[in-house]
Amino acid sequence: MFNKFKRWKDKSDSITEDEIVKGQIPNHIAIIMDGNGRWAKKRSLPRTAGHHEGMKVVKRITKVANRLGVKTLTVYAFSTENWKRPEDEVSYLLKLPQEFLGTFLPELIEENVQVRIMGNKDAIPAHTLNAVEKAVNDTKDNTGLILNFALNYGGRAEIIQAVNSIVGDYKAGSLKDEIDENKFSSYLMSNGLSDPDLLIRTSGEIRLSNFMLWQLAYTEFWFTDVLWPDFREQHLIEAIYAFQKRGRRFGGI
Ligand code: IPE
Ligand code: IPE
Ligand code: MG
């Protein structure tokens, strides 16, 4: 058993793109991009340097995912719990999408990527929200990869928000039918997107941290000790390779 596992581990380190099945690329990959702070600390840099490096990795991985034929890439950029961090780190994190889009939007447009956002927009600073909404608008007709930013996002807040909207629509009379799973999903911020097939979390933490609690019901999970700023194409390929080895049964046999 040990040897078998070890062989698989050795193998996974050397997976090449040729070894993944092109017809079985996960449609929707969601990533909890974690470990920026530790990456910076290891180099005696401020935590913000780790976030900046992490932003560059989002660019690279978006391109790779698009090339591989992934339909949706959701990236957890800022959680509803991240407000607990020091003010300067919070403001840096909330400025990053603007910088990301400022330099990368033309390329995203060229690559036919469609930008989306999910999260509570009320608390996002205006400069960031304007930049993101411009990107959403400028790319809305693109038909390639959907790059979905979870920004000021929390899974519980999302569910509560959906429940409140449902109650509101009942009261207003615009909703009369009973709620089923599909109807409920349509009230979530991920409305229109398929549920993630593969969830990746970097940095060795094995938890969801309030990410897509409803949508991850049948997602395959893949964890790695690699810190997000060190995440490369090779790691994405390893994750997809591992995904393709799983037997997804969805409760069947
Ligand atoms: C992930 O890296 C980025 C965000 C949560 C916004 P962290 O900042 O959480 O890095 P660590 O976990 O402290 O290393
Ligand atoms: C999750 O990472 C949130 C994002 C990646 C945006 P955290 O670093 O905030 O999660 P915890 O605190 O380790 O659970
Ligand atoms: Mg973290």
Side-chain angles (χ1 to χ4, degrees):
M1 199 53 201
F2 172 76
N3 280 338
K4 192 174 161 204
F5 175 70
K6 191 170 176 297
R7 266 208 311 279
W8 187 85
K9 277 293 282 180
D10 291 347
K11 171 98 180 120
S12 79
D13 291 341
S14 59
I15 300 302
T16 64
E17 196 177 322
D18 303 338
E19 286 173 86
I20 58 177
V21 185
K22 289 288 140 59
Q24 290 166 25
I25 298 291
N27 265 321
H28 185 168
I29 300 181
I31 308 184
I32 303 175
M33 312 182 287
D34 199 10
N36 296 351
R38 277 163 283 172
W39 182 92
K41 194 169 177 213
K42 271 172 56 183
R43 287 162 179 77
S44 309
L45 295 169
R47 292 177 57 85
T48 48
H51 298 315
H52 196 263
E53 199 63 25
M55 177 194 73
K56 293 199 242 163
V57 176
V58 177
K59 292 184 185 177
R60 298 165 83 139
I61 295 302
T62 300
K63 281 191 184 181
V64 177
N66 197 16
R67 195 189 76 228
L68 292 173
V70 174
K71 300 275 182 290
T72 305
L73 181 68
T74 296
V75 290
Y76 204 5
F78 190 88
S79 78
T80 48
E81 285 67 42
N82 288 146
W83 291 102
K84 291 177 193 158
R85 297 184 178 205
E87 219 180 289
D88 56 340
E89 184 174 347
V90 168
S91 81
Y92 188 86
L93 281 167
L94 290 176
K95 254 193 276 181
L96 266 183
Q98 203 180 354
E99 186 183 339
F100 175 90
L101 293 166
T103 58
F104 197 41
L105 185 59
E107 228 174 297
L108 290 175
I109 293 172
E110 202 173 296
E111 299 210 7
N112 199 21
V113 170
Q114 188 189 124
V115 177
R116 274 186 62 150
I117 176 173
M118 62 176 195
N120 178 6
K121 293 182 185 172
D122 297 344
I124 298 175
H127 57 87
T128 304
L129 194 59
N130 290 341
V132 176
E133 289 193 325
K134 180 185 183 299
V136 170
N137 194 52
D138 288 355
T139 62
K140 65 180 190 312
D141 299 322
N142 288 356
T143 53
L145 175 97
I146 296 170
L147 176 59
N148 182 34
F149 283 100
L151 192 59
N152 196 20
Y153 171 87
R156 288 188 172 182
E158 179 189 36
I159 290 170
I160 295 295
Q161 170 277 136
V163 170
N164 282 325
S165 297
I166 289 168
V167 171
D169 286 354
Y170 265 118
K171 282 186 185 158
S174 57
L175 182 67
K176 294 185 181 68
D177 309 330
E178 243 180 65
I179 295 288
D180 60 14
E181 291 187 8
N182 282 334
K183 192 76 193 169
F184 187 78
S185 294
S186 76
Y187 278 88
L188 295 174
M189 294 164 179
S190 55
N191 177 32
L193 302 177
S194 61
D195 289 338
D197 300 288
L198 173 62
L199 171 81
I200 295 172
R201 182 170 188 152
T202 58
S203 88
E205 309 299 349
I206 316 286
R207 56 174 169 262
L208 289 181
S209 303
N210 199 14
F211 192 45
M212 301 186 93
L213 299 178
W214 170 274
Q215 298 88 340
L216 294 175
Y218 258 109
T219 302
E220 297 296 328
F221 290 3
W222 190 81
F223 297 99
T224 176
D225 288 340
V226 172
L227 304 174
W228 178 249
D230 291 328
F231 193 87
R232 293 291 175 272
E233 172 171 1
Q234 173 63 24
H235 303 114
L236 184 68
I237 288 174
E238 277 170 35
I240 293 175
Y241 181 84
F243 168 84
Q244 292 185 341
K245 295 279 175 239
R246 307 266 178 96
R248 299 186 85 187
R249 288 181 289 280
F250 300 98
I253 52 171

